[in-house]
């Protein structure tokens, strides 16, 4: 197991280390539930210690029309937490912290045929972020007078896997509530988990709104990747090993990069570096490749 | 544009502290400390 996978494993275990449900039943209600855990990890999981920001974001949007002051307090805390996670870590959260990302990477290791998917499908996560996470919770009120948490309700596979299935096993009285919506979520979960076996990090690439939010910080956050043309052999090893199938170096700091650092570690000449920066990524950082594209192709063939 | 990320750092710290001192974490707790039927697909 790689060092990064081991760190993912340890964090996933820590985030889901509450065993009190075996004695007391129910979910954890201690002080750590005040904290936003940066990754995708459902708080209704009997083992979960913390709250996930995506769910809280929907909870902030839901009462925005009816209880704006209450929502504002939560919004301040959530926005501050998301900005700090984004600026400090960016999509390092996806590559090193998120338990659902770790699960997908482990599933992809199963020795089954692998497939490719069109890159245009990655725009689906924009629709999920804007539609289900931001717009619908504000737009539609439920029976309680608040908006619904639409992404968690009709889409989130982590909720079905970590909360739905375990709680139905532990609390039989909940089984009377099973209906069409639950079956839909189970089918979706199975499709996504099977998809993860065939296509690496299918949920991160196509569907994850949280990863998209952190992706915006890849050009703004503390850590950026930089490519040094003078050292590069143009061997293309970095592109081959990239789990997100990015064009390197053009997309080193794009919203899609999950900061796994595979490119950096695989580079024989260390021409990709992780730099700290407090300034906005300059044009020089972003566009060194356009002028050398032909040379790149030529030297790669030569290699 | 050089100033923009620095402003974001100040905003992040400001929002976070304002959220903590206004009791925003209690909002998070009130939502996260009870079983969510929507998450499970049961509501």
């Amino acid at each position: 197991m790689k060092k990064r996978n081991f760190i993912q494993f340890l964090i996933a275990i820590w985030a889901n280390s509450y065993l009190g449900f075996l004695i007391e039943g129910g979910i954890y209600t201690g002080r750590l539930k005040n904290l936003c855990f940066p990754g995708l990890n459902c708080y209704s999981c009997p083992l979960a210690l913390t709250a996930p920001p995506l769910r809280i974001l929907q909870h902030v949007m839901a009462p925005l029309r009816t209880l704006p002051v209450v929502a504002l307090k939560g919004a301040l805390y959530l926005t501050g937490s998301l900005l700090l996670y984004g600026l400090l870590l960016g999509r390092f959260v996806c590559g090193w912290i998120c338990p659902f990302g770790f699960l997908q990477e482990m599933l992809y290791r199963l020795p089954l045929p692998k497939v490719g998917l069109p890159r245009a499908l990655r725009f689906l996560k924009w629709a999920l972020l804007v539609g289900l996470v931001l717009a619908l919770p504000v737009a539609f009120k439920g029976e309680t007078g608040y908006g619904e948490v639409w992404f968690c309700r009709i889409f989130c596979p982590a909720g079905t896997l970590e909360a739905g299935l375990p709680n139905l096993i532990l609390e039989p009285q909940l089984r009377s509530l099973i209906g069409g919506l639950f079956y839909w979520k189970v089918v979706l979960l199975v499709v996504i988990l099977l998809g993860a076996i065939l296509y690496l990090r299918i949920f991160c690439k196509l569907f994850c709104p949280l990863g998209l939010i952190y992706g915006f910080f890849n050009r703004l956050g503390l850590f950026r990747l930089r490519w040094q043309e003078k050292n590069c052999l143009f061997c293309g090893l970095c592109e081959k090993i990239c789990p997100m199938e990015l064009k390197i170096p053009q997309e080193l700091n794009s919203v899609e990069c999950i900061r796994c650092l595979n490119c950096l570690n695989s580079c024989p000449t260390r021409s990709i570096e992780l730099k700290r920066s407090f300034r906005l990524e300059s044009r020089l950082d972003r566009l060194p490749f356009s002028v050398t594209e032909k040379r790149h192709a030529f030297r790669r063939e030569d290699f | 544009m050089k100033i923009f990320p620095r402003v974001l750092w100040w905003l992040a710290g400001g929002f976070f502290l304002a959220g903590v001192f206004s009791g925003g974490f209690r909002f998070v707790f009130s939502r996260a400390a009870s079983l969510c039927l929507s998450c499970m697909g049961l509501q």
Side-chain angles (χ1 to χ4, degrees):
Chain A
M1 188 184 270
K2 286 186 286 187
K3 188 172 106 182
R4 183 174 65 83
N5 292 142
F6 185 63
I7 291 171
Q8 286 175 304
F9 172 72
L10 288 182
I11 292 173
I13 292 293
W14 174 80
N16 295 290
S17 59
Y18 176 68
L19 296 175
F21 74 92
L22 293 171
I23 304 161
E24 299 167 12
I27 60 171
Y28 174 70
T29 54
R31 288 189 176 189
L32 284 173
K33 271 281 165 79
N34 289 308
L35 289 178
C36 279
F37 177 77
L40 195 72
N41 193 55
C42 185
Y43 69 68
S44 287
C45 173
L47 292 162
L49 286 179
T50 53
L54 200 59
R55 169 76 195 203
I56 302 301
L57 176 57
Q58 292 167 86
H59 271 306
V60 165
M61 303 306 285
L64 213 56
R65 287 199 302 175
T66 42
L67 288 171
V69 177
V70 176
L72 184 67
K73 288 179 183 177
L76 285 172
Y77 181 67
L78 176 77
T79 310
S81 302
L82 274 179
L83 280 172
L84 284 175
Y85 283 138
L87 290 169
L88 282 171
L89 300 168
R91 287 201 81 176
F92 272 107
V93 171
C94 307
W96 294 73
I97 293 174
C98 181
F100 204 71
F102 173 63
L103 172 68
Q104 292 175 84
E105 286 194 17
M106 292 300 106
L107 286 173
Y108 189 74
R109 290 188 175 199
L110 294 174
L112 285 168
K114 307 302 173 190
V115 299
L117 288 175
R119 211 174 148 124
L121 290 175
R122 297 189 186 197
F123 286 102
L124 284 171
K125 58 180 176 283
W126 288 81
L128 290 172
L129 175 63
V130 175
L132 295 186
V133 177
L134 299 176
L136 285 185
V138 184
F140 293 106
K141 287 182 188 174
E143 293 165 1
T144 54
Y146 298 107
E148 295 284 353
V149 284
W150 287 99
F151 179 79
C152 292
R153 191 179 180 204
I154 66 172
F155 201 90
C156 183
T160 318
L161 180 68
E162 296 172 12
L165 297 174
N167 282 313
L168 284 172
I169 293 167
L170 293 168
E171 300 192 31
Q173 70 273 19
L174 290 174
R175 290 174 200 167
S176 61
L177 298 171
I178 291 176
L181 187 62
F182 179 75
Y183 292 122
W184 155 251
K185 284 195 75 179
V186 170
V187 169
L188 198 64
L189 172 68
V190 171
V191 168
I192 286 172
L193 293 183
L194 287 176
I197 296 172
L198 308 175
Y199 185 62
L200 182 55
R201 280 186 177 256
I202 188 169
F203 182 77
C204 310
K205 283 174 186 164
L206 308 189
F207 306 121
C208 186
L210 188 60
L212 181 59
I213 293 171
Y214 289 132
F216 296 138
F217 293 93
N218 275 355
R219 289 194 199 283
L220 299 165
L222 185 58
F223 295 102
R224 323 271 174 79
L225 288 171
R226 289 197 75 179
W227 173 67
Q228 289 182 309
E229 187 182 2
K230 64 180 190 316
N231 297 338
C232 187
L233 295 174
F234 299 94
C235 61
L237 204 58
C238 46
E239 284 187 3
K240 281 180 196 153
I241 207 164
C242 177
M244 300 303 278
E245 302 166 69
L246 301 181
K247 288 177 190 166
I248 298 173
Q250 298 99 313
E251 295 181 312
L252 271 178
N253 292 306
S254 79
V255 291
E256 297 288 336
C257 175
I258 59 166
R259 299 294 194 239
C260 63
L261 306 185
N262 283 0
C263 55
L264 183 148
N265 293 323
S266 68
C267 181
T269 56
R270 297 277 171 197
S271 61
I272 298 171
E273 295 177 315
L274 188 67
K275 292 277 188 187
R276 269 184 308 166
S277 176
F278 284 96
R279 65 183 175 82
L280 192 68
E281 186 190 342
S282 69
R283 184 171 288 196
L284 194 66
D285 295 331
R286 272 186 276 151
L287 297 172
F289 190 69
S290 56
V291 289
T292 60
E293 197 157 7
K294 283 182 185 169
R295 191 150 61 96
H296 180 115
F298 173 75
R299 285 172 71 173
R300 188 181 292 178
E301 279 170 21
D302 197 37
F303 189 80
Chain B
M1 290 300 278
K2 281 183 181 177
I3 199 76
F4 181 58
R6 287 178 197 274
V7 172
L8 274 183
W9 279 98
W10 281 105
L11 282 176
F15 279 140
F16 184 76
L17 290 175
V20 168
F21 288 113
S22 68
F25 58 89
R26 283 194 209 101
F27 174 88
V28 172
F29 183 82
S30 67
R31 266 64 182 175
S34 56
L35 204 60
C36 171
L37 295 177
S38 296
C39 291
M40 297 189 273
L42 298 176
Q43 192 179 40

